[in-house]
Amino acid sequence: MTETLTIRNGIDVDQLLATIEAIKDDPAVGTFTFRASSRWEEGTYNLGEIGRFIHAGQEDQTRGEAFQLEGDEPPVLLGRNKGPNAVELLLQALGFCYAVGYVANAAARGIELTAMEYELESDLDVRSFLGLDGPRAGFTEIRAKGWVSSPNATKEQLVELCQYVQDTSPVRDSLANPVSVTTTLEVR
Amino acid sequence: MTETLTIRNGIDVDQLLATIEAIKDDPAVGTFTFRASSRWEEGTYNLGEIGRFIHAGQEDQTRGEAFQLEGDEPPVLLGRNKGPNAVELLLQALGFCYAVGYVANAAARGIELTAMEYELESDLDVRSFLGLDGPRAGFTEIRAKGWVSSPNATKEQLVELCQYVQDTSPVRDSLANPVSVTTTLEVR
């Protein structure tokens, strides 16, 4: 027996289709619990770690060392520019999410990609953060722009896929629609 | 004249108070436009950049090279673990945001901190992302837990501050309440 491995855009399409079938058979295969942690260092500077996650009720074992991230603010927001700030990370997450959604769905549809980029920007008024009367504490608007090149898809197909990706993007959905956030504090 | 510089928790409290006064005088001083960009490399792997931002209508000049980030998925989500994934970055952003809000407001209130950590986790069901019937595409719930130590504040003060930080956190607000997200695609 010969097995044909279909890799498109660097995506293993056979694995993608097998994953979808596995989740159809057992929805638990589609459930994840992701995690991150951070430790305050000084001022606005924090060290972050992203390690293992739970998939289908069990801890995934494929990651060795946790990913390390640095968070800080620019001087105008009391920091020293040792890392991006929290809201910038949020924008970066949206770009990464769009890209993954686009490349995976393109692969499944037989669309080859040769290039893809995203630029994201958002407006923030820090008055509420600083305890002053002002607009909402969070982003008042996010604007995302993508560029994509494909040798075998029409413009219409690529634009339609962009809409599909928006409708199914975990990060976009988490920003565009309310998420329940429960926060507790323990004093040591 | 002697100038007394008040640094608490690594936060320049004088600068913080001066910033608040400056924004009271001219609300434009409180306005920012943050940015991020990303370039697709292969499969689920993307390179991100976070560079300069707009403050009060002008580009802030304090950052030299842009911060570089890597985004990827674990093998079970078709990637190679070359970086955290998009939804994990979202959690990291929430932890960083809580920490900055907590440390800055503690400094303004005269509360000294000796340690602060956050752990964040969230549940995600990838069925919608994969085009199957299922719950929402985004996080179904985010759980955040903080630990804080202070030599000069009561437990009640620290817990109250945690609530204040939640109420004024830009990232929490962007997740807990809907944000307008506008996305356009250009085909090259």
Side-chain angles (χ1 to χ4, degrees):
Chain A
M1 252 181 82
T2 308
E3 194 179 318
T4 309
L5 194 64
T6 306
I7 305 286
R8 190 177 293 120
N9 307 326
I11 296 290
D12 182 336
V13 179
D14 295 334
Q15 186 198 341
L16 173 57
L17 298 178
T19 300
I20 291 171
E21 289 307 312
I23 294 172
K24 277 186 192 168
D25 287 347
D26 178 6
V29 177
T31 62
F32 291 81
T33 298
F34 292 106
R35 304 157 167 166
S37 64
S38 67
R39 194 180 71 229
W40 172 62
E41 292 291 307
E42 195 199 16
T44 59
Y45 181 54
N46 288 272
L47 289 178
E49 277 202 354
I50 294 174
R52 293 184 171 176
F53 57 90
I54 308 290
H55 171 226
Q58 298 207 306
E59 191 172 69
D60 179 273
Q61 302 294 322
T62 60
R63 284 186 183 160
E65 286 187 27
F67 302 112
Q68 313 279 330
L69 287 99
E70 295 179 291
D72 198 4
E73 297 288 344
V76 69
L77 291 171
L78 310 168
R80 295 179 184 180
N81 269 335
K82 293 174 80 171
N85 75 12
V87 293
E88 291 172 320
L89 274 189
L90 215 66
L91 294 178
Q92 189 80 86
L94 181 61
F96 284 165
C97 193
Y98 275 170
V100 170
Y102 205 94
V103 74
N105 282 290
R109 295 178 182 197
I111 295 174
E112 288 168 36
L113 302 180
T114 47
M116 177 169 50
E117 291 181 28
Y118 290 92
E119 277 185 14
L120 311 109
E121 62 174 33
S122 67
D123 303 321
L124 191 80
D125 189 309
V126 295
R127 277 180 284 174
S128 293
F129 176 71
L130 294 171
L132 301 172
D133 284 339
R136 62 182 294 175
F139 287 142
T140 45
E141 186 185 58
I142 298 175
R143 296 174 293 278
K145 186 163 187 182
W147 289 266
V148 67
S149 301
S150 168
N152 74 340
T154 65
K155 183 179 173 180
E156 288 64 34
Q157 287 174 311
L158 295 170
V159 168
E160 194 278 318
L161 180 52
C162 178
Q163 186 59 54
Y164 180 80
V165 169
Q166 289 175 64
D167 294 341
T168 55
S169 160
V171 172
R172 186 186 191 283
D173 179 46
S174 298
L175 292 166
N177 300 299
V179 179
S180 165
V181 183
T182 307
T183 305
T184 57
L185 184 77
E186 193 175 305
V187 176
R188 275 180 178 160
Chain B
M1 254 181 79
T2 308
E3 193 179 321
T4 309
L5 195 64
T6 306
I7 305 285
R8 190 177 293 119
N9 306 326
I11 296 291
D12 182 336
V13 179
D14 296 336
Q15 186 198 340
L16 173 56
L17 298 177
T19 300
I20 291 172
E21 288 307 311
I23 294 172
K24 278 186 191 167
D25 286 349
D26 180 5
V29 176
T31 62
F32 291 80
T33 297
F34 293 105
R35 304 157 167 165
S37 64
S38 68
R39 194 180 72 229
W40 172 63
E41 293 291 308
E42 194 198 18
T44 60
Y45 180 54
N46 288 272
L47 290 178
E49 276 202 354
I50 294 174
R52 293 185 172 176
F53 57 90
I54 308 290
H55 171 225
Q58 298 207 308
E59 190 172 70
D60 179 273
Q61 300 294 321
T62 60
R63 284 186 184 160
E65 286 189 25
F67 301 111
Q68 312 280 330
L69 287 99
E70 295 179 290
D72 198 4
E73 297 287 345
V76 69
L77 291 171
L78 311 168
R80 294 179 185 180
N81 270 333
K82 294 174 80 170
N85 75 12
V87 293
E88 291 172 319
L89 273 189
L90 217 66
L91 294 178
Q92 189 81 85
L94 181 61
F96 284 166
C97 194
Y98 274 169
V100 170
Y102 204 94
V103 75
N105 283 291
R109 295 178 182 197
I111 295 174
E112 288 169 35
L113 301 179
T114 46
M116 178 169 49
E117 291 182 27
Y118 290 92
E119 277 184 15
L120 311 108
E121 62 174 33
S122 68
D123 304 321
L124 191 81
D125 188 307
V126 297
R127 277 180 285 175
S128 292
F129 177 72
L130 293 172
L132 301 172
D133 284 339
R136 63 181 295 176
F139 288 141
T140 45
E141 185 185 58
I142 297 175
R143 296 173 293 278
K145 186 161 188 185
W147 289 266
V148 67
S149 300
S150 167
N152 74 340
T154 65
K155 183 179 173 180
E156 288 66 33
Q157 288 174 312
L158 295 169
V159 169
E160 195 278 318
L161 180 53
C162 177
Q163 186 57 54
Y164 180 80
V165 168
Q166 289 175 64
D167 294 341
T168 56
S169 159
V171 171
R172 186 187 191 281
D173 180 46
S174 298
L175 292 166
N177 300 299
V179 179
S180 165
V181 183
T182 306
T183 305
T184 57
L185 184 77
E186 193 175 303
V187 176
R188 276 180 176 159

